[in-house]
Amino acid sequence: MSAERPTTLLAELTHRCPLHCPYCSNPLELVRAGAELGTTDWQRVLDEARRLGVLQVGLSGGEPLARRDLEPIAAHARSLGCYTTLVTSGLGLTRARAEALRAAGLDHIQVSFQDADDASAERIAGSAAVRRKREAAALVRELGFAFSINVVLHRANLGRVGALIDLALELGADRLELANTQYYGWALANRAALMPTREQVLAADAVVREARARCRGRLRITYVLPDYHGIYPKACYGGWGRNYIVVAPDGAALPCHGATAIAGMRFDNVRERSLEWIWRESAAFNAFRGEDWMQRPCRDCARRAIDFGGCRCQAFALAGDAAATDPVCALAPARPVVDAAVGGAAPDDDDVPWIYREDSSSRVSVTR
């Protein structure tokens, strides 16, 4: 099947991370350090990605600063003419490393924050990280990187969205990404503890709309209503295998972060196949291109070329079938699963334990 050229590569350099966020987008089974691609492997992947058409490279994790070779990898991506972004917790971003990344040509740094309230932020992260995050943000601003802040929103912090906007202004961010939790992987395991009520979501939406007008020209705010509280699904990454590639730390090439959770789907590895072959020929990347795979009601829906049936990972997680209509769609047969999750959300219920992100050998439940 013919395919469009990809524009974006997310290079997940490692799953190692000093934080333990219960909504982490990494898979439940984390790749160990010994299985990670080496420096020359990543540079070859970047070469192949650029030839394929990629223009933007995200250097992510886990925590990419855990890689000692982050700087040469970033420099190689920039030498190919790609716009480069470091997606980081900020922990480990010392002055020396920040200056080295600046010298390597890194364009943009996105720092994650967990909350505007320090105690809550450290409880969510499972780590005493706030001071180091603020220090990292100050370095990013001082050294002249394009600067974004990312906050994953959920029941524990949604009520402070106004304070989070104020925090981004205080730290001098150019852009604030308020990313409502996507419920697969770690977040799906923690859905009962993370799911906000509809009232919380609508209240936050009103705060964001007011702030966008107030902050125009100073801070760009990205905010989209969470899937579970919508009527129709979103076009996940612009559609499966249309413009986005993720390469996992061990070299598995994926159409999106959550794809490894789809049981029975095999993902080819860049150690064994070129990125171009994987993009154009692999069964995984072609699985949900076009419309032939669609079931009803997607097959007959006028929105099928707009949202492409929604998220395949969410369909598998909630309906047990990756080809099913995304259950967040009001027309989906599995929509009652979503309604039950939203209806069961209780903002004052602090007794639901979080399963913190850990290696499989050391997972623990921690009650807030």
Side-chain angles (χ1 to χ4, degrees), residues 174-215:
D174 304 303
R175 176 175 175 269
L176 172 63
E177 180 180 286
L178 297 168
N180 281 284
T181 301
Q182 297 291 309
Y183 292 100
Y184 51 79
W186 293 96
L188 184 60
N190 284 291
R191 189 176 65 184
L194 296 171
M195 180 65 65
T197 64
R198 192 173 301 279
E199 291 73 22
Q200 286 176 306
V201 169
L202 294 177
D205 184 54
V207 171
V208 171
R209 282 189 281 109
E210 183 279 330
R212 278 177 168 160
R214 173 168 50 87
C215 299

Side-chain angles (χ1 to χ4, degrees), residues 50-79:
R50 185 67 190 93
R51 287 196 295 269
L52 194 53
V54 163
L55 299 172
Q56 301 180 78
V57 173
L59 303 170
S60 182
E63 175 47 68
L65 287 162
R67 294 277 305 223
R68 295 181 180 180
D69 57 355
L70 174 61
E71 291 82 358
I73 292 173
H76 193 75
R78 194 66 188 88
S79 74

